Amino acid sequence: MFYIHCPYCQEHREEEEFHPRGEAHLMRPTDPDNATDEEWGDYLFFRQNPRGIHHELWVHSVGCRKFFNITRNTVTYEILETYRMGEQPSITAETEKLRKEQGVQTADGGWQTIGAQPDSRALNEETSS
Amino acid sequence: MSNVSAKQFNTVPAGNPAVESPLHWSYQQQKSTPSANAGVVLREKALLGHVVLRGGAIVMDEAVRQVLGMSLPAKPNTVTRDEAGERSIQWISPDEWLVIVPGGEECDLERRLREALGDAHVSIVNVSGGQTVLTLAGENAREVLMKTVAFDVHPQAFPVGKGVTTVFAKATVVLRRASETEWELVVRRSFADYCYRWLLDASKEYGIDTQ
């Protein structure tokens, strides 16, 4: 179960009160009349499904009934931040990568858990083709 | 379009016809014998006036001060009440408030609010027929809530004056703490019987006193 901080109610609530609504920050084609089929297809159907940091749209359906965004790690399920509609995330895949390069241990991307044993490294390593 | 010209439906027609609370049928069905040392006291505050206000906080606050003499709750998840405790305004969402007044006042309140708000972009809906208020008191009231709602009802997390919308036995409820000993549940009309029977069942082990 998640314990989610609603940015509008300004407190943590049970996951039971919320509903996930898919990927956040989807932009409708700015000129719908002249958008190509590919642009429409991308907007309507194609989603990122990343391994690691993901920005999601959630709604506090039993509560204030407001939509807001969550930055979540799809590997560890850790919720890194929640922020209101119209705001930009302060944690993105890029900032997390930077933290890793600077030697901060975070559980994202290739690692199943923090402190995984070296012999399981091969299992955890992403296959680079 | 001006707000003042909006059509209003008076839910309390002239001639004082008989009215029934949403739990009228439930009372007929569930005859409970009051136990001697009831740990839970369940009452209904039937037929109150419920009004939902939506709009900008600043405009709404000004109008509500003028009409009700109370200000809107400043913080999320709080309830403000007048001195008598009869009228209350609850924060529901950043642009939504639930006003509960004694029954019969709601139409007049709606009209006066529309006059005060003029052309402001707001919505005022009288939902009196759609929900009812149950009160839960007694020394085991908190235990009953603990096994019913997902929200933390410990006094530290839920002080007097707080009010939240939360999951109540898979239905939704507006839960408010009216005083140290009393909890208020605003339930939907269509869920009233279900919630009432749930409370009867959940309170069985402590003994329940209904009206």
Side-chain angles (χ1 to χ4, degrees):
Chain A
M1 288 291 281
F2 285 134
Y3 199 42
I4 301 170
H5 183 270
C6 171
Y8 293 100
C9 293
Q10 291 167 27
E11 62 181 11
H12 283 84
R13 298 290 184 91
E14 293 287 334
E15 185 189 347
E16 212 178 333
E17 294 189 12
F18 298 87
H19 241 68
R21 299 303 289 266
E23 192 182 324
H25 306 295
L26 293 176
M27 289 293 285
R28 187 183 166 89
T30 43
D31 186 6
D33 289 337
N34 298 312
T36 61
D37 285 354
E38 198 183 340
E39 281 172 326
W40 273 117
D42 283 350
Y43 168 65
L44 289 172
F45 304 116
F46 291 93
R47 300 293 179 260
Q48 293 293 326
N49 193 22
R51 187 164 195 229
I53 307 297
H54 188 218
H55 306 290
E56 295 169 339
L57 184 66
W58 283 67
V59 58
H60 193 182
S61 44
V62 182
C64 61
R65 304 195 290 274
K66 293 283 175 201
F67 285 83
F68 63 98
N69 300 308
I70 290 181
T71 303
R72 189 172 67 89
N73 189 320
T74 57
V75 177
T76 62
Y77 278 48
E78 183 189 5
I79 292 174
L80 300 161
E81 63 170 343
T82 61
Y83 52 100
R84 294 176 179 216
M85 294 304 290
E87 290 176 3
Q88 290 300 313
S90 66
I91 298 168
T92 60
E94 282 74 44
T95 62
E96 282 301 284
K97 214 164 136 191
L98 208 67
R99 279 176 67 198
K100 213 175 179 183
E101 278 164 12
Q102 287 165 348
V104 184
Q105 192 187 28
T106 52
D108 69 327
W111 292 94
Q112 293 288 329
T113 53
I114 295 173
Q117 292 300 308
D119 51 69
S120 64
R121 186 182 293 258
L123 291 172
N124 283 316
E125 221 129 48
E126 285 176 76
T127 48
S128 52
S129 53
Chain B
M1 192 188 78
S2 169
N3 259 316
V4 183
S5 66
K7 278 266 192 295
Q8 283 176 54
F9 174 65
N10 192 343
T11 48
V12 189
N16 201 22
V19 280
E20 289 173 353
S21 96
L23 285 170
H24 184 82
W25 186 80
S26 317
Y27 295 143
Q28 307 291 318
Q29 296 296 309
Q30 311 284 329
K31 298 271 192 239
S32 64
T33 45
S35 32
N37 304 309
V40 181
V41 182
L42 178 65
R43 291 282 181 274
E44 187 193 5
K45 285 184 179 171
L47 309 168
L48 299 182
H50 301 239
V51 178
V52 169
L53 310 177
R54 298 205 68 167
I58 296 164
V59 193
M60 198 61 89
D61 187 47
E62 216 166 272
V64 166
R65 273 168 198 271
Q66 198 183 318
V67 173
L68 276 169
M70 302 157 66
S71 56
L72 290 180
K75 281 195 266 175
N77 303 311
T78 50
V79 187
T80 51
R81 287 169 197 274
D82 66 353
E83 290 87 41
E86 285 183 324
R87 294 167 191 82
S88 64
I89 309 176
Q90 180 175 2
W91 185 99
I92 296 285
S93 105
D95 56 2
E96 182 176 346
W97 298 270
L98 173 65
V99 184
I100 299 186
V101 294
E105 279 183 24
E106 66 274 12
C107 289
D108 186 49
L109 172 73
E110 188 183 341
R111 186 184 52 76
R112 281 160 65 206
L113 275 173
R114 281 193 197 281
E115 277 169 11
L117 285 160
D119 286 333
H121 182 65
V122 295
S123 147
I124 304 169
V125 183
N126 180 354
V127 293
S128 308
Q131 47 197 33
T132 189
V133 180
L134 293 172
T135 67
L136 211 55
E139 54 185 289
N140 296 111
R142 198 162 69 86
E143 273 86 346
V144 172
L145 287 173
M146 275 161 69
K147 52 183 181 180
T148 311
V149 296
F151 199 84
D152 187 3
V153 290
H154 190 274
Q156 271 179 355
F158 213 123
V160 174
K162 188 165 179 160
V164 299
T165 313
T166 190
V167 181
F168 175 95
K170 295 184 185 176
T172 63
V173 76
V174 177
L175 180 65
R176 304 131 63 100
R177 188 133 182 244
S179 68
E180 286 293 336
T181 51
E182 193 185 68
W183 299 80
E184 280 181 355
L185 307 158
V186 185
V187 294
R188 301 261 175 193
R189 177 179 200 100
S190 50
F191 280 98
D193 178 56
Y194 166 73
C195 291
Y196 182 69
R197 284 191 286 147
W198 175 283
L199 285 169
L200 288 187
D201 185 52
S203 311
K204 205 177 247 173
E205 59 177 302
Y206 311 111
I208 185 163
D209 173 11
T210 56
Q211 59 222 132

